[in-house]
Amino acid sequence: MREGPATVVHRQDYAAPAFWIRQVELCFDLDPVKTIVSSKLHIERNPAAEPQPLKLHGEDISVLRVMSGGESLSFRHEDKLLVIDNPPADAQFVLEIRNTCSPEKNTHLSGLYTSGGGFFTQCEAEGFRRITYFLDRPDVMAVYTVTLRADKAKYPVLLSNGNLVEQGELDNGRHFAVWHDPFPKPCYLFALVGADLVCREQKIRTRAGKEHLLQVFVRRGDLGKTEHAMASLVASVVWDEARFGLPLDLERFMIVAVEDFNMGAMENKGLNIFNTKYVLASPATATDVDFAGIESVVGHEYFHNWTGNRITCRDWFQLSLKEGLTVFRDQEFSMDMAGGASARAVKRIEDVRGLRAAQFPEDAGAMAHPVRPDSYAAIDNFYTATVYEKGAEVVRMMQTLVGREGFERGITLYFERHDGQAVTCDDFAQAIADANPGSELAARLETFKRWYAQAGTPRLKARGAYDAEARRYTLTLTQSAEPSPGQPTKEPFVIPVLAALIGRDGGTLAGERLLVLDTPEQQFVFEDVAAEPVPSLLRGFSAPVILDDGLGDAELLTLLAHDSDPFNRWEAGQRLALARLLAAVQAPTTEALDTPFVDAMRAVLRHPALDPAFKELVLTLPSEGYVAEQLASFDPQRIHAVRENFREQLAAALQTDWAEAFEANLVQEGYAPTPAQAGRRALANLALAMLCLHAVRSGDAVWPGRAYQRVKDASNMTDRIGALAALVHSHSELAEPALARFHAIAGGEPLVVDKWFALQAQASEPVGAGHGRAFARAKALLKHPDFSLKNPNRARSLVFQLCMNNPAAFHRADAAGYVFWAERLLEIDPINPQLAARLARVMDRWTALAEPYRSAAREALARVAAKPDLSDDVREVLGRALE
Ligand code: ARG
Ligand code: ZN
């Protein structure tokens, strides 16, 4: 690891490369201890650049020789570069490099590494330089031919990008395969796999009548869990062609599942590599949420084939060009797959809830950065909710401003202009605007692009005035944005506000209309409004802003009961709950919940027409994290105590309704991960949790007994873990035996064991007597024989769940949670810096903590930051936190 501060890269410093690499021939002699890589690079000088040395990236690899035209070339090392001072002077030349790397020592899981006895790669963002020396930047695109050689018995399957052109036997029990990918690609999209795998395959015919082969590779024994991934892949192929006219451009499209993986999955051209979590599913091992996650990640990676691979990023500052757009596409895909209006709305609510849980705090914290960042030390730190999810909202706003058809025209123009190129976020926005002259977007494109440049979540204030005589409603919208690191002042944003006016009786006074705010303050007039309305603003969450519409209880109750926009209907319920949570958190004691609120919740729960999935979302109180985000200084223990108290009150007050909801939503049909079934299971599980909570408080054994029975004999994982969670979070005596049962039933299935760890790490910390039990349990699990910090899924299920998703267990007055965090961070960093840097992000919002947590957090941060050998990744995150 390096000494001293890492190099910071700035967006403004971008310069085209002095050399292009047009063609690459790679040959791998795969061996876990020492793999030999031979590479032949067809290089072309960029005539626009000054003559200069050729500097190739390389990290944790050893060079054996460098040759050109049959002669050795001299080279030297400079930092993490291999410098060739005198490359051939010709406009085009061939460079031959031989180097070695050690896959089995590669615990970073970046580059070429081993997992479960096989070879796998992960090259985005800068992993290719850990395989061989190269111009490891996305604007250098080449055509690859790859030869793989390995022991045939141990590694019967040898895969790389593109098409298989040759395979055969070698001496000593080895075999080989040659792959050719006809599409020029940046090296971050390179992949290889050498392992003992089996595959499910299926043929698919695209509209042009061409047949394509789809394959999903997994370890022996996992084949029975690939049906859903394959179905999702088929659906993705069909959807992209139907919605955007983008067909599959490869003869063969492969997905490979691997157990050790830093992220969700990777869109390598024709050879997507996936975390097992996003491939393997059966009703017995995966929840409805897991099934939905697989559909969306399979879609996401597949959609990258066009948005990311056919058109890629010029530099890593443009990451959102492909990620924001592809998240938008996978969200739309899941919505279209969900079917009806209500299921679509449920998906939108879930996406927004996710954005607020992860991206809003990021935008308000130490790591705040624009969708298109300006600088970085470790690019892996910028695979963030801002680049992904806020980036998707920016794309969604464009669609709102040009309309759905206009947006599809824009996508078509984007591909006409840039197919095969490495481009920027500006190029994308320009294409959407140019395809829609005269649109709300084209009229203010430069202002709109501030969404790429400015960090922070804007605040939108709305105040209305009704003139009964003139039957006129005047809405005044104002916007503001707080400073963020490096950006003390902000220019106004373009904020699309979908708005309607609702009558106090629930009728519509003015239909939905798009208001576009692009100055600090603007007025919008609604004529011919029959009575004083309740405004329903920012419908469907039409912009990623924090809305203050000044509405009181009566108005919110009206929206909750009547708004025809399901998002705002849900939002009204959340705001009613949030107002009460915030009031109680800031008061000395927690009072009884008021009748109008409880009645409104009951009305939703009992409503004959509302979807169970929607009811579950309304009846779930805003999370502790979301409550914390509303406060300038927050006490995690107080928030937890208040929220638990509210849950108990709702459990008690609605007891008979919960029991009815539970019975009414039991699914009798065979398991299918459809939105309809999933919604019923979600509501039944929430009901069961509330029933257990109340039963444990009142000493009643019936519901916990039922939950325990369900842990034992549930026919699917959603119900099994739902029942287990109900027992654990209510602190039932049956929680222990149920956990033991669950572990036994898991039978060592890794993804199920992950759930077992995760649930305990999230266990609700008892308020009052028994406080500290959840933390102690999680800490003790570090010593469990099934636990390992080396497998990212396992580390995430225990350590990250505790530190990120269990605030009351983590933020302790005695600072033991922070000590736990610091110790794990220092253990993980030398093994896997990317993973460690994610864990470091737990402290992003430490400055908003109340005392004594704030001082203790700072101390823990400072202590870790003082260690000499930290990775660049961790150092960047801690540095920003302490700035
Ligand atoms: N491009 C991948 C995806 O979103 C993620 C790769 C992340 N890699 C990383 N080193 N952070 O689909
Ligand atoms: Zn992606």
Side-chain angles (χ1 to χ4, degrees):
M1 247 152 259
R2 73 168 63 236
E3 303 281 308
T7 338
V8 173
V9 189
H10 298 273
R11 183 169 61 85
Q12 295 298 353
D13 293 346
Y14 175 82
F19 300 87
W20 304 102
I21 302 175
R22 302 295 191 189
Q23 223 178 299
V24 181
E25 288 150 61
L26 289 173
C27 180
F28 290 84
D29 277 293
L30 292 169
D31 182 287
V33 179
K34 191 198 245 184
T35 285
I36 300 175
V37 188
S38 315
S39 111
K40 201 167 169 183
L41 309 177
H42 296 253
I43 298 179
E44 201 176 293
R45 286 175 179 276
N46 179 350
E50 298 284 305
Q52 55 186 280
L54 174 59
K55 297 185 174 185
L56 300 175
H57 302 107
E59 205 176 290
D60 286 352
I61 54 178
S62 308
V63 58
L64 297 175
R65 64 161 200 228
V66 181
M67 296 181 64
S68 189
E71 312 229 330
S72 286
L73 281 186
S74 67
F75 58 84
R76 62 191 167 85
H77 291 280
E78 184 186 295
D79 199 11
K80 287 173 178 166
L81 297 169
L82 181 84
V83 183
I84 299 160
D85 285 303
N86 297 300
D90 321 56
Q92 299 181 357
F93 58 92
V94 175
L95 203 64
E96 287 181 74
I97 302 174
R98 253 167 107 79
N99 69 275
T100 62
C101 61
S102 178
E104 126 194 310
K105 286 214 189 93
N106 184 2
T107 59
H108 291 203
L109 311 183
S110 165
L112 175 63
Y113 64 92
T114 56
S115 171
F119 296 98
F120 301 86
T121 55
Q122 170 57 36
C123 293
E124 186 178 3
E126 299 182 334
F128 194 74
R129 65 186 63 183
R130 298 168 56 80
I131 297 175
T132 189
Y133 298 92
F134 206 76
L135 292 173
D136 188 355
R137 43 187 291 169
D139 55 353
V140 171
M141 295 161 83
V143 170
Y144 285 66
T145 305
V146 178
T147 303
L148 304 171
R149 293 200 281 251
D151 185 279
K152 188 171 181 180
K154 285 191 195 140
Y155 315 107
V157 172
L158 299 175
L159 309 173
S160 191
N161 318 81
N163 302 312
L164 179 62
V165 292
E166 205 187 331
Q167 60 182 329
E169 311 289 317
L170 298 166
D171 293 344
N172 302 321
R174 292 173 76 78
H175 69 146
F176 76 95
V178 182
W179 292 81
H180 177 76
D181 180 1
F183 294 95
K185 64 169 175 286
C187 65
Y188 82 86
L189 292 173
F190 165 82
L192 76 78
V193 170
D196 186 6
L197 304 172
V198 288
C199 90
R200 170 190 291 267
E201 55 182 47
Q202 188 164 326
K203 297 218 166 97
I204 186 170
R205 203 175 279 279
T206 42
R207 286 190 178 175
K210 262 192 87 183
E211 204 168 75
H212 307 256
L213 178 63
L214 308 179
Q215 295 176 306
V216 178
F217 289 87
V218 296
R219 286 176 55 186
R220 273 169 216 289
D222 284 335
L223 211 50
K225 285 168 266 173
T226 54
E227 193 186 322
H228 184 66
M230 180 60 90
S232 301
L233 180 57
V234 170
S236 305
V237 175
V238 171
W239 182 86
D240 214 11
E241 198 166 11
R243 171 85 184 259
F244 289 111
L246 300 171
L248 176 53
D249 61 4
L250 300 146
E251 288 165 34
R252 171 174 182 149
F253 190 91
M254 300 171 276
I255 286 179
V256 178
V258 60
E259 204 173 330
D260 297 285
F261 202 75
N262 277 343
M263 312 282 294
M266 179 64 211
E267 70 265 23
N268 318 297
K269 186 80 184 181
L271 180 57
N272 289 357
I273 298 184
F274 272 60
N275 188 323
T276 44
K277 179 173 163 58
Y278 292 107
V279 175
L280 304 178
S282 72
T285 61
T287 62
D288 293 326
V289 171
D290 295 327
F291 275 90
I294 289 170
E295 180 182 270
S296 88
V297 177
V298 167
H300 181 96
E301 306 311 331
Y302 176 76
F303 304 143
H304 266 315
N305 189 47
W306 282 94
T307 51
N309 301 4
R310 288 287 288 252
I311 303 182
T312 193
C313 304
R314 185 193 72 175
D315 56 70
W316 290 122
F317 297 104
Q318 318 297 329
L319 182 57
S320 196
L321 170 79
K322 72 177 179 80
E323 295 304 346
L325 176 53
T326 305
V327 170
F328 168 79
R329 275 152 55 69
D330 83 53
Q331 290 176 347
E332 290 287 294
F333 167 60
S334 294
M335 266 193 248
D336 288 348
M337 293 294 288
S342 175
R344 297 178 70 88
V346 164
K347 166 70 177 156
R348 180 65 184 147
I349 291 167
E350 288 167 351
D351 287 343
V352 174
R353 196 167 64 171
L355 181 85
R356 284 175 173 164
Q359 200 279 325
F360 278 27
E362 181 166 275
D363 240 349
M367 274 291 287
H369 54 276
V371 168
R372 182 189 57 211
D374 290 316
S375 66
Y376 59 78
I379 184 56
D380 290 321
N381 284 334
F382 289 85
Y383 286 73
T384 58
T386 298
V387 166
Y388 277 64
E389 275 77 25
K390 187 178 182 180
E393 294 300 321
V394 173
V395 174
R396 186 172 295 283
M397 285 189 286
M398 289 190 217
Q399 177 174 260
T400 302
L401 290 168
V402 303
R404 204 167 137 137
E405 278 170 27
F407 185 76
E408 281 159 24
R409 272 198 305 279
I411 290 284
T412 303
L413 182 61
Y414 175 59
F415 283 104
E416 269 169 34
R417 281 187 183 167
H418 300 298
D419 191 10
Q421 300 173 8
V423 304
T424 63
C425 296
D426 284 334
D427 293 323
F428 177 77
Q430 194 67 51
I432 304 298
D434 287 353
N436 294 280
S439 66
E440 297 277 13
L441 178 67
R444 43 174 84 75
L445 181 63
E446 288 313 309
T447 314
F448 181 84
K449 288 198 299 189
R450 288 175 189 155
W451 281 110
Y452 286 123
Q454 299 189 135
T457 309
R459 289 179 184 273
L460 173 66
K461 189 171 165 184
R463 290 295 181 271
Y466 182 61
D467 180 340
E469 209 163 304
R471 294 163 61 94
R472 178 180 299 135
Y473 183 72
T474 306
L475 188 67
T476 305
L477 298 181
T478 52
Q479 60 166 306
S480 62
E482 268 147 51
S484 54
Q487 296 185 332
T489 58
K490 306 275 162 84
E491 300 289 328
F493 290 86
V494 175
I495 304 179
V497 181
L498 283 171
L501 303 180
I502 313 286
R504 311 258 151 184
D505 60 355
T508 302
L509 291 172
E512 188 167 288
R513 162 175 167 198
L514 177 63
L515 317 176
V516 183
L517 173 69
D518 59 3
T519 57
E521 178 168 328
Q522 260 162 273
Q523 289 196 332
F524 298 87
V525 178
F526 295 76
E527 300 288 359
D528 203 25
V529 178
E532 171 147 37
V534 180
S536 166
L537 304 177
L538 211 66
R539 301 182 115 205
F541 201 64
S542 58
V545 300
I546 297 166
L547 173 65
D548 161 16
D549 55 17
L551 301 186
D553 272 11
E555 289 140 322
L556 291 171
L557 287 166
T558 300
L559 294 180
L560 174 60
H562 302 293
D563 200 327
S564 55
D565 179 57
F567 177 85
N568 270 6
R569 201 168 176 183
W570 168 77
E571 178 78 340
Q574 293 291 294
R575 297 223 346 242
L576 287 163
L578 185 64
R580 284 155 180 78
L581 286 161
L582 288 172
V585 163
Q586 287 158 302
T589 53
T590 309
E591 307 288 328
L593 281 169
D594 54 290
T595 311
F597 174 72
V598 174
D599 285 349
M601 290 293 133
R602 179 182 290 113
V604 170
L605 191 50
R606 283 191 182 169
H607 200 290
L610 289 172
D611 238 16
F614 181 79
K615 293 182 181 184
E616 194 269 343
L617 290 168
V618 174
L619 271 296
T620 299
L621 294 170
S623 70
E624 290 172 26
Y626 190 61
V627 175
E629 279 309 304
Q630 318 302 315
L631 298 161
S633 168
F634 71 97
D635 175 347
Q637 297 299 340
R638 179 74 193 140
I639 294 174
H640 178 62
V642 167
R643 189 173 182 276
E644 285 302 289
N645 176 290
F646 277 27
R647 291 207 321 128
E648 285 172 23
Q649 290 196 50
L650 285 176
L654 305 181
Q655 205 194 341
T656 53
D657 306 280
W658 289 122
E660 262 169 49
F662 179 75
E663 306 292 354
N665 287 287
L666 291 175
V667 177
Q668 310 295 353
E669 316 89 271
Y671 179 89
T674 57
Q677 276 198 17
R680 290 167 65 189
R681 279 188 285 270
L683 185 56
N685 277 332
L686 175 64
L688 184 59
M690 296 306 251
L691 290 161
C692 286
L693 191 63
H694 183 63
V696 171
R697 298 299 174 276
S698 57
D700 163 29
V702 176
W703 285 105
R706 264 186 96 166
Y708 184 62
Q709 198 57 38
R710 234 160 122 81
V711 171
K712 290 199 291 190
D713 60 23
S715 66
N716 64 76
M717 178 51 77
T718 308
D719 287 343
R720 173 165 291 131
I721 198 139
L724 182 62
L727 293 172
V728 168
H729 298 314
S730 65
H731 311 116
S732 160
E733 282 167 8
L734 293 173
E736 286 307 323
L739 280 163
R741 251 316 169 103
F742 186 95
H743 188 268
I745 295 170
E749 176 88 29
L751 295 172
V752 180
V753 176
D754 286 342
K755 293 182 194 306
W756 182 80
F757 278 105
L759 178 59
Q760 295 177 80
Q762 293 162 21
S764 173
E765 188 65 88
V767 176
H771 184 81
R773 233 169 44 205
F775 176 70
R777 168 198 288 281
K779 206 176 150 186
L781 283 172
L782 287 173
K783 300 209 176 68
H784 193 280
D786 290 345
F787 186 71
S788 159
L789 276 179
K790 288 204 176 118
N791 173 253
N793 287 356
R794 196 54 54 85
R796 281 187 280 256
S797 65
L798 178 58
V799 179
F800 288 54
Q801 287 303 331
L802 176 74
C803 298
M804 290 180 170
N805 287 334
N806 199 344
F810 179 61
H811 298 282
R812 295 163 54 100
D814 68 1
Y818 305 150
V819 172
F820 174 92
W821 166 82
E823 287 171 356
R824 302 295 83 73
L825 181 55
L826 292 171
E827 269 167 40
I828 297 173
D829 195 32
I831 304 172
N832 187 335
Q834 280 184 38
L835 192 64
R838 295 264 150 178
L839 184 59
R841 301 272 325 260
V842 163
M843 293 296 197
D844 260 17
R845 297 287 284 133
W846 71 273
T847 53
L849 284 164
E851 293 296 354
Y853 312 105
R854 189 175 193 274
S855 298
R858 182 188 22 224
E859 205 176 297
L861 273 162
R863 216 171 334 111
V864 178
K867 299 279 176 196
D869 285 335
L870 296 174
S871 65
D872 290 347
D873 304 60
V874 166
R875 206 198 300 262
E876 176 170 44
V877 173
L878 297 181
R880 291 203 187 213
L882 288 167
E883 239 166 43

